[in-house]
Amino acid sequence: MGVGSGRLYAAVAAGGFRRYATYRAATAAGVFTNTVFGLILVYTYLALWEERPHLGGYDQAQAVTFVWLGQALLAALAIGGGGMENELMERIRTGDIAVDLYRPADLQLWWLAADVGRAVFQLLGRGVVPFVFGALLFPVALPREVSAWALFLVAVALAMLVGFALRYLVALSAFWLMDGTGVAHMAWIAGLFCSGMLLPLNVFPGALGEVVRVLPWSSLLQGPADVLLGEADPVGVFVFQASWAVALLALGRLVQSVATRRVVVQGG
Amino acid sequence: MTDGDGAAAGGAAFIELDGVEKVFDVRRKTGFLKRERREVRAVDGLSFTVARGEMVGYIGPNGAGKSTTIKMLTGILTPSGGRLRVAGIDPSRERTRLAHRIGVVFGQRTTLWWDLPLIDSYRLMHRMYRIPDARYRENLDRCVELLQLAELLEVPVRQLSLGQRMRGDIAAALLHDPDVLYLDEPTIGLDVVSKAKVRGFLRDVNAERGTTVLLTTHDLQDIEQLCSRVMVIDHGRLMYDGPLAGLHEVGESERTLVVDLERELPPVEAPAPARVVRVEGPRQWLAFPASASAAGLVAAIAARYPLVDLSVREPDIEAVIAKMYAERASA
C-alpha cells in the first residue's frame, strides 16, 4: 500500500467524519440519549455497589466511571448498532454494491476508513459531552497522568478496529441472506451484553465470566476501561485486542473474496 | 469528429467478446424442503468486438442480458465460459487495473457521496484514480463548464435533482480520462432538456477524446442521436449488429404511404406487396416494405386515382424492435 492509497483512505475517512458532522440535530439527540442512559445506569450501579462494595474489584467511583465511559464509547464503537453495517447491507441488498466493486479500491479498507471517520466524529461529537457531564456531577476515578490517557486512546483505537471487523462480517452475511437485519440485531444484542455495556465483565460469575472475557467484544469497552482505570496491564490488553483485530479482519477478507467471487450482484 | 472517426476506422478491437457465457444457478422451491436447481443462461455465447473510439448502442428488453454483459466487462462478474478482453485486460482477473481505464455510469445508481457536497466526491476520485493534479483540474473545469455544474459543486448530492445528479455522475466517471465508458441508462427519468445536455456532452467527449462508448438504453433517441452502430441482444444472444438504419430490413419493417384523394373511394388497388391498411373518408393508408421505393407506388396510384396530396411515414424504430423481440419469443 503506497502513499497514494494512504491519501485515498484518509480522504474516505475524512468524508466519513464529515458525513456524520452534517447532521447536527441527530448528534444533539444522541448526546441527550447517552446522557439519560448514563443517568439510569449510574443510579442502578450506585444501588448495586452500595449493597455489594468492591463488586468485581471496582470501587464505587470506578463503577461510575465505567458507566460514563460506556456512554462515551457506545456510539463511536457502534456497539448497539449505528455503524457502517446498515449502509453496507442495504447496498448489498439493492445491488448498489456493484458501484463499490468496480472502483480501483479495496472494499474492506474503504469501509474501514469510512467507519473510522464516523467513529472519530462520534467519539468527539457524542462521547465527550456525556462523559464530562458525568465526571462533573458524580464521583469518578480518573487518572491524572497524560500517559494513562494516551494508553487509553490506543486501546480505543484498537477497539474501533475490532468493532469494525465484527460488524463487517455481520454486513457481509447479506450477500447470502439478502436481508441481514436479523443477524445485525443478534450481533447488537450480543455486543451490548458481551462488551460490558450492561454490566462490567469482571462482575460476571464463574464460567460465564471466563468465557465473555475472552470473546472479541470484551476488546470494545472492558479493555479500554481497564486501561483507563489502571485495572489491567495495558500491553496485555493491546495484545488481546490486536490479536482479535487481525483474526477478524483476516476472516472478513476471506468472506469478502468468497462473496464477491461466487455471489450474484443483484439487480439490473 | 475526425479524431473519433479516424480511431474507429484504424483502431484494433478494444472490447473483445468471444463466445462469452454467464450461467446462473437458480434454486426454486418445489415442495416442503424440496428444491429444484435450474440453470439460467443470462448470456449465451455472445461474440462481438468494439473498436477504439466507437460509440455503440447496446439494446434489448429487460432481462435480455445487457447489465450482465456490462458487469462482466467491468470485472464484477466472472464469465462462466468464453473469452473476454477490454484493452487487452481480462476484467475479472485484473479488476483493479482495468478500473483505472474504464468509466461506468449506472443510471439507476450513483457513485457520488450522498450526504456530502458534489465536490467532495470529485476530490475522492482525484485520490482514488491517482489523477495528476493539473489533469484533474483541467478535466474538472471542462466537465463543470460543459455539464453546467458550477452552481452545484457545493450542494449535497441528496439535494440534487435527478438530472443534476446524473450530470454529476457522468463527470465523476470521466475525471480520470477513461479509455472506455459504459453507460447504463444514462438518460433514464430525465426531462427533454437534461437529455439533450447529456447527449451533447457524450458526443463531444467521444469526438474530442476518442473515448469508446458502450451505451445501454431503452430510449432509442439516445441511440439515434449518438450511435452509428447498434447491437440488439435478447435471451443472452446477439440478434443484430450493424447500423441503426439496417434494423428496418432485418425487422422487415414497413413504411406507410398516406394518400389524400379527391373524394371518398373504395380502397385503392395498389401493386403488391403494398396494401391498404386503413381508410378514413378521402384519406387512405398503404403499407409497403421499407426497402421498396415509394416512387413507383406513388406513380401507380396517381395514374389511376384522383390524387390531391400524399406523405410517406418512416417506420417507428421502437415498433421494429418490438417486432423483433416478438418474433424471437414466438420462434
Side-chain angles (χ1 to χ4, degrees):
Chain A
M1 196 171 103
V3 179
S5 349
R7 290 175 83 175
L8 166 63
Y9 296 113
V12 175
F17 185 97
R18 265 177 295 129
R19 282 181 68 187
Y20 282 84
T22 315
Y23 299 103
R24 296 203 186 130
T27 304
V31 166
F32 178 75
T33 310
N34 285 136
T35 310
V36 172
F37 274 169
L39 284 171
I40 294 170
L41 276 178
V42 154
Y43 285 111
T44 313
Y45 280 26
L46 284 174
L48 206 57
W49 261 262
E50 194 70 48
E51 204 58 39
R52 297 278 301 275
H54 300 286
L55 182 61
Y58 286 168
D59 61 27
Q60 211 171 54
Q62 284 179 314
V64 169
T65 312
F66 190 94
V67 168
W68 293 111
L69 268 182
Q71 292 310 308
L73 295 177
L74 179 64
L77 299 177
I79 294 170
M84 39 56 69
E85 65 277 15
N86 296 320
E87 197 187 343
L88 179 51
M89 283 191 297
E90 184 64 12
R91 290 184 78 79
I92 294 169
R93 195 180 64 77
T94 59
D96 283 351
I97 192 75
V99 175
D100 304 340
L101 288 174
Y102 71 66
R103 290 171 160 166
D106 181 79
L107 193 69
Q108 191 186 33
L109 275 175
W110 177 284
W111 285 94
L112 172 60
D115 199 53
V116 166
R118 176 203 60 78
V120 171
F121 170 76
Q122 297 205 310
L123 187 65
L124 300 174
R126 281 188 61 178
V128 172
V129 173
F131 191 77
V132 170
F133 171 87
L136 291 177
L137 288 179
F138 295 87
V140 286
L142 295 175
R144 294 182 185 283
E145 316 82 53
V146 179
S147 61
W149 286 94
L151 291 171
F152 167 69
L153 288 180
V154 172
V156 169
L158 286 166
M160 284 176 183
L161 286 181
V162 176
F164 166 79
L166 282 166
R167 286 177 287 113
Y168 191 67
L169 283 170
V170 167
L172 289 185
S173 72
F175 270 114
W176 287 272
L177 301 174
M178 281 312 119
D179 186 2
T181 320
V183 177
H185 280 288
M186 266 161 49
W188 295 335
I189 291 167
L192 286 171
F193 184 76
C194 300
S195 65
M197 191 58 74
L198 299 177
L199 210 55
L201 300 184
N202 44 9
V203 171
F204 285 33
L208 177 65
E210 299 295 328
V211 170
V212 290
R213 282 191 287 271
V214 296
L215 292 177
W217 288 282
S218 77
S219 304
L220 302 183
L221 174 56
Q222 192 67 45
D226 280 341
V227 169
L228 189 73
L229 296 170
E231 287 292 311
D233 166 32
V235 177
V237 172
F238 297 163
V239 168
F240 178 80
Q241 289 178 306
S243 307
W244 271 120
V246 168
L248 292 169
L249 288 170
L251 184 60
R253 286 206 86 76
L254 183 72
V255 174
Q256 167 188 316
S257 76
V258 173
T260 52
R261 222 177 306 137
R262 296 217 186 129
V263 174
V264 182
V265 175
Q266 299 292 305
Chain B
M1 266 323 277
T2 47
D3 267 356
D5 285 346
F14 189 70
I15 300 174
E16 257 187 291
L17 280 83
D18 187 11
V20 169
E21 295 180 357
K22 182 67 195 178
V23 183
F24 294 113
D25 254 356
V26 178
R27 286 184 181 79
R28 206 163 51 98
K29 227 175 156 166
T30 50
F32 184 67
L33 292 179
K34 258 172 99 181
R35 265 152 212 263
E36 188 185 79
R37 266 179 68 172
R38 201 165 54 91
E39 277 193 348
V40 174
R41 309 185 79 80
V43 169
D44 192 2
L46 198 58
S47 303
F48 64 77
T49 60
V50 176
R52 185 181 274 272
E54 257 194 298
M55 211 166 180
V56 181
Y58 192 47
I59 60 177
N62 294 327
K66 301 188 300 285
S67 287
T68 304
T69 312
I70 301 266
K71 281 172 186 165
M72 287 193 288
L73 288 172
T74 59
I76 300 174
L77 286 181
T78 313
S80 315
R83 186 172 177 277
L84 195 158
R85 292 287 180 278
V86 178
I89 297 172
D90 181 348
S92 63
R93 287 200 156 180
E94 294 187 85
R95 183 166 58 77
T96 311
R97 189 158 84 90
L98 181 68
H100 286 277
R101 307 196 51 184
I102 61 174
V104 187
V105 177
F106 287 129
Q108 312 199 53
R109 312 189 188 286
T110 183
T111 187
L112 304 170
W113 234 330
W114 195 244
D115 314 89
L116 293 176
L118 191 54
I119 188 72
D120 286 27
S121 292
Y122 296 155
R123 291 197 181 113
L124 196 69
M125 298 295 159
H126 182 188
R127 296 286 165 240
M128 183 155 51
Y129 290 97
R130 300 181 190 174
I131 310 166
D133 291 355
R135 192 79 207 166
Y136 167 73
R137 275 251 63 90
E138 190 186 312
N139 287 347
L140 182 63
D141 288 349
R142 203 182 117 83
C143 286
V144 165
E145 189 199 324
L146 292 176
L147 290 166
Q148 296 164 7
L149 298 171
E151 273 113 67
L152 307 177
L153 288 177
E154 298 301 330
V155 179
V157 172
R158 67 186 139 84
Q159 290 173 16
L160 298 180
S161 73
L162 184 62
Q164 292 169 337
R165 203 218 75 209
M166 188 67 75
R167 273 147 50 203
D169 257 310
I170 291 173
L174 287 167
L175 293 176
H176 61 289
D177 286 323
D179 295 325
V180 54
L181 186 61
Y182 304 127
L183 297 160
D184 195 357
E185 302 275 356
T187 59
I188 196 166
L190 301 193
D191 62 40
V192 181
V193 179
S194 300
K195 276 184 186 176
K197 277 184 196 165
V198 166
R199 287 174 190 148
F201 179 75
L202 293 175
R203 235 191 326 261
D204 289 350
V205 166
N206 173 253
E208 288 170 25
R209 295 274 157 100
T211 309
T212 309
V213 178
L214 189 64
L215 169 71
T216 292
T217 186
H218 281 115
D219 187 337
L220 289 164
Q221 281 195 341
D222 287 347
I223 308 264
E224 279 173 359
Q225 296 186 14
L226 294 174
C227 305
S228 51
R229 175 180 165 198
V230 59
M231 295 189 287
V232 182
I233 183 180
D234 195 17
H235 293 91
R237 286 164 184 263
L238 205 58
M239 297 171 66
Y240 176 80
D241 183 355
L244 187 63
L247 262 180
H248 298 317
E249 288 143 40
V250 174
E252 291 164 10
S253 63
E254 293 179 317
R255 289 195 281 174
T256 309
L257 175 68
V258 185
V259 292
D260 283 334
L261 306 175
E262 257 172 23
R263 56 187 184 279
E264 252 179 84
L265 286 172
V268 299
E269 286 167 32
R275 65 196 190 283
V276 175
V277 289
R278 192 173 153 205
V279 177
E280 216 171 79
R283 177 170 288 189
Q284 302 197 6
W285 283 259
L286 291 96
F288 64 103
S291 49
S293 160
L297 180 61
V298 172
I301 294 170
R304 293 177 56 194
Y305 296 92
L307 192 59
V308 178
D309 200 1
L310 64 90
S311 65
V312 176
R313 289 185 192 164
E314 291 303 317
D316 180 5
I317 189 75
E318 279 182 62
V320 172
I321 290 170
K323 203 174 156 200
M324 276 179 80
Y325 297 162
E327 276 165 14
R328 164 86 191 181
S330 63

Short mmCIF file of all heavy atoms in Angstrom, two decimals, chain B residues 12 26-27 34 56 109 136 160 173 194 204-205 217 225 227 237 244 249-250 296:
data_model
loop_
_atom_site.label_atom_id
_atom_site.label_comp_id
_atom_site.label_asym_id
_atom_site.label_seq_id
_atom_site.Cartn_x
_atom_site.Cartn_y
_atom_site.Cartn_z
N ALA B 12 -7.64 -1.22 -33.54
CA ALA B 12 -7.91 -2.64 -33.43
C ALA B 12 -9.05 -2.83 -32.43
O ALA B 12 -9.51 -1.87 -31.83
CB ALA B 12 -6.66 -3.36 -32.94
N VAL B 26 -30.19 -21.14 -10.38
CA VAL B 26 -31.34 -20.63 -9.66
C VAL B 26 -32.00 -21.80 -8.95
O VAL B 26 -32.28 -22.83 -9.56
CB VAL B 26 -32.35 -19.96 -10.61
CG1 VAL B 26 -33.57 -19.47 -9.85
CG2 VAL B 26 -31.69 -18.81 -11.34
N ARG B 27 -32.23 -21.64 -7.63
CA ARG B 27 -32.89 -22.70 -6.88
C ARG B 27 -34.33 -22.29 -6.65
O ARG B 27 -34.62 -21.18 -6.26
CB ARG B 27 -32.18 -22.92 -5.54
CG ARG B 27 -30.87 -23.62 -5.69
CD ARG B 27 -30.26 -23.89 -4.32
NE ARG B 27 -28.96 -24.54 -4.44
CZ ARG B 27 -27.85 -23.90 -4.74
NH1 ARG B 27 -27.87 -22.59 -4.94
NH2 ARG B 27 -26.70 -24.55 -4.84
N LYS B 34 -38.01 -29.38 -0.56
CA LYS B 34 -37.53 -29.84 -1.86
C LYS B 34 -37.19 -28.65 -2.73
O LYS B 34 -37.97 -27.71 -2.84
CB LYS B 34 -38.61 -30.70 -2.56
CG LYS B 34 -38.32 -32.18 -2.46
CD LYS B 34 -39.47 -32.98 -2.99
CE LYS B 34 -39.29 -33.48 -4.40
NZ LYS B 34 -40.46 -34.24 -4.87
N VAL B 56 -21.24 2.72 -29.45
CA VAL B 56 -22.13 1.63 -29.81
C VAL B 56 -23.33 1.58 -28.87
O VAL B 56 -23.17 1.67 -27.65
CB VAL B 56 -21.38 0.28 -29.74
CG1 VAL B 56 -22.30 -0.86 -30.15
CG2 VAL B 56 -20.15 0.30 -30.63
N ARG B 109 -28.08 4.04 -10.29
CA ARG B 109 -27.28 4.04 -9.07
C ARG B 109 -26.37 5.25 -9.13
O ARG B 109 -26.18 5.82 -10.19
CB ARG B 109 -26.42 2.78 -8.99
CG ARG B 109 -27.20 1.50 -9.28
CD ARG B 109 -26.35 0.30 -8.97
NE ARG B 109 -26.98 -0.93 -9.41
CZ ARG B 109 -28.00 -1.51 -8.80
NH1 ARG B 109 -28.51 -0.95 -7.73
NH2 ARG B 109 -28.52 -2.63 -9.25
N TYR B 136 -6.40 16.70 -13.30
CA TYR B 136 -7.65 16.69 -12.55
C TYR B 136 -8.37 18.04 -12.69
O TYR B 136 -9.54 18.10 -13.01
CB TYR B 136 -7.37 16.37 -11.09
CG TYR B 136 -8.52 16.63 -10.15
CD1 TYR B 136 -9.63 15.79 -10.13
CD2 TYR B 136 -8.50 17.73 -9.27
CE1 TYR B 136 -10.69 16.04 -9.27
CE2 TYR B 136 -9.56 17.98 -8.41
CZ TYR B 136 -10.65 17.13 -8.42
OH TYR B 136 -11.70 17.38 -7.57
N LEU B 160 -29.72 17.25 -4.94
CA LEU B 160 -29.72 17.46 -6.39
C LEU B 160 -30.95 16.81 -7.02
O LEU B 160 -31.45 15.80 -6.53
CB LEU B 160 -28.46 16.86 -7.02
CG LEU B 160 -27.11 17.42 -6.59
CD1 LEU B 160 -25.99 16.69 -7.32
CD2 LEU B 160 -27.02 18.92 -6.85
N ALA B 173 -17.38 9.95 -13.70
CA ALA B 173 -16.87 8.80 -14.44
C ALA B 173 -15.79 9.20 -15.44
O ALA B 173 -15.12 8.34 -16.00
CB ALA B 173 -18.02 8.11 -15.16
N SER B 194 -32.56 18.05 -20.08
CA SER B 194 -31.44 17.34 -19.48
C SER B 194 -30.90 16.27 -20.42
O SER B 194 -29.70 16.07 -20.53
CB SER B 194 -31.88 16.68 -18.17
OG SER B 194 -32.34 17.66 -17.27
N ASP B 204 -19.48 15.12 -27.58
CA ASP B 204 -18.23 15.88 -27.53
C ASP B 204 -17.08 15.03 -27.00
O ASP B 204 -15.98 15.05 -27.54
CB ASP B 204 -18.38 17.11 -26.62
CG ASP B 204 -19.26 18.15 -27.27
OD1 ASP B 204 -19.59 17.98 -28.47
OD2 ASP B 204 -19.64 19.12 -26.58
N VAL B 205 -17.33 14.32 -25.92
CA VAL B 205 -16.28 13.50 -25.30
C VAL B 205 -15.77 12.47 -26.29
O VAL B 205 -14.56 12.28 -26.46
CB VAL B 205 -16.81 12.79 -24.03
CG1 VAL B 205 -15.86 11.69 -23.58
CG2 VAL B 205 -17.03 13.79 -22.92
N THR B 217 -29.52 1.35 -23.26
CA THR B 217 -30.64 2.26 -23.05
C THR B 217 -31.95 1.64 -23.51
O THR B 217 -31.97 0.68 -24.29
CB THR B 217 -30.40 3.58 -23.81
OG1 THR B 217 -31.43 4.50 -23.49
CG2 THR B 217 -30.37 3.37 -25.32
N GLN B 225 -29.37 9.46 -31.86
CA GLN B 225 -28.58 10.69 -31.87
C GLN B 225 -27.10 10.46 -31.60
O GLN B 225 -26.29 11.34 -31.86
CB GLN B 225 -29.15 11.67 -30.84
CG GLN B 225 -30.56 12.08 -31.22
CD GLN B 225 -31.11 13.16 -30.30
OE1 GLN B 225 -30.37 13.78 -29.55
NE2 GLN B 225 -32.40 13.38 -30.38
N CYS B 227 -25.29 6.98 -31.73
CA CYS B 227 -24.55 5.78 -32.13
C CYS B 227 -24.70 5.49 -33.61
O CYS B 227 -25.82 5.48 -34.14
CB CYS B 227 -25.05 4.57 -31.34
SG CYS B 227 -24.97 4.82 -29.57
N ARG B 237 -28.39 -13.56 -26.38
CA ARG B 237 -27.75 -13.75 -27.68
C ARG B 237 -27.83 -12.47 -28.49
O ARG B 237 -28.79 -11.72 -28.39
CB ARG B 237 -28.44 -14.85 -28.48
CG ARG B 237 -28.15 -16.24 -28.00
CD ARG B 237 -29.17 -17.19 -28.60
NE ARG B 237 -28.98 -18.53 -28.09
CZ ARG B 237 -28.30 -19.47 -28.72
NH1 ARG B 237 -27.77 -19.21 -29.90
NH2 ARG B 237 -28.15 -20.66 -28.19
N LEU B 244 -27.97 1.49 -37.37
CA LEU B 244 -29.34 1.60 -36.88
C LEU B 244 -30.33 1.44 -38.05
O LEU B 244 -31.34 0.76 -37.94
CB LEU B 244 -29.54 2.96 -36.21
CG LEU B 244 -30.86 3.18 -35.51
CD1 LEU B 244 -31.04 2.20 -34.37
CD2 LEU B 244 -30.96 4.60 -35.00
N GLU B 249 -34.53 -3.37 -42.20
CA GLU B 249 -34.57 -4.52 -43.10
C GLU B 249 -34.68 -5.83 -42.33
O GLU B 249 -35.48 -6.68 -42.65
CB GLU B 249 -33.34 -4.54 -44.00
CG GLU B 249 -33.39 -3.44 -45.05
CD GLU B 249 -32.04 -2.84 -45.32
OE1 GLU B 249 -31.06 -3.60 -45.37
OE2 GLU B 249 -31.95 -1.60 -45.45
N VAL B 250 -33.83 -5.93 -41.31
CA VAL B 250 -33.85 -7.15 -40.51
C VAL B 250 -35.22 -7.36 -39.89
O VAL B 250 -35.76 -8.45 -39.87
CB VAL B 250 -32.79 -7.08 -39.40
CG1 VAL B 250 -32.90 -8.28 -38.49
CG2 VAL B 250 -31.41 -7.01 -40.04
N GLY B 296 -42.45 4.39 -57.35
CA GLY B 296 -43.25 3.55 -58.24
C GLY B 296 -44.68 3.43 -57.75
O GLY B 296 -45.63 3.52 -58.53
#
